Amino acid sequence: MKQKLEQLMVEHLNQVWNQRDEVLRMKAIKSIYAEDIVMFDMDDETFSGYDAISQKVASLLNSLPPDFSINQSIPIVLHNDVGKLEWGVGPTGAPSVLTGTDIVFFKDDKIKSFYVFVNIQK
């Protein structure tokens, strides 16, 4: 069970948040997320459903240079049906210019909801 949830988190990052092709991203979203998926971000915005999540990802990826990606920065931590994924954004092979954490809630072997925390640089 733990391995399956960890794999979902890796796919959440790689197949959704790093996927620029909308068709492939939507296919991944439908296999990884529950139908009633909800995302909460730091701007007090809530995104519900497959289309809203895909549009949010597209908006983010379109705002990044083409050589930027989102990468897992430390090992995933799981506790019961909750996971923590720490990530960084930056050019491939270079230090991250932005970091953050996703707190993910699982139900029935799918991601049910997640909260995105961005580390504010001072």
Side-chain angles (χ1 to χ4, degrees):
M1 174 80 161
K2 183 176 179 180
Q3 186 176 9
K4 167 71 173 164
L5 299 182
E6 186 172 335
Q7 184 61 35
L8 281 175
M9 292 184 76
V10 169
E11 292 170 359
H12 156 81
L13 182 64
N14 296 330
Q15 295 179 21
V16 177
W17 288 91
N18 278 307
Q19 181 52 260
R20 293 180 184 267
D21 181 293
E22 291 182 34
V23 172
L24 293 176
R25 184 174 56 245
M26 184 58 76
K27 182 178 178 183
I29 284 171
K30 289 180 178 179
S31 72
I32 297 165
Y33 298 146
E35 284 187 44
D36 56 349
I37 182 69
V38 180
M39 173 192 158
F40 303 91
D41 77 5
M42 295 260 309
D43 295 325
D44 290 328
E45 290 186 274
T46 302
F47 301 88
S48 300
Y50 296 152
D51 290 332
I53 300 287
S54 186
Q55 289 169 7
K56 176 64 177 175
V57 173
S59 175
L60 172 70
L61 292 175
N62 289 335
S63 74
L64 298 175
D67 65 329
F68 273 44
S69 62
I70 307 168
N71 299 293
Q72 180 181 331
S73 57
I74 64 172
I76 292 168
V77 177
L78 295 167
H79 182 46
N80 293 318
D81 286 333
V82 181
K84 181 178 84 162
L85 170 67
E86 295 198 33
W87 47 264
V89 179
T92 303
S96 298
V97 297
L98 180 72
T99 60
T101 304
D102 289 358
I103 304 297
V104 177
F105 295 85
F106 301 96
K107 185 173 181 185
D108 300 326
D109 292 331
K110 297 263 187 168
I111 295 176
K112 171 80 172 159
S113 63
F114 61 101
Y115 290 75
V116 178
F117 294 87
V118 176
N119 297 324
I120 306 301
Q121 305 295 325
K122 293 186 179 192

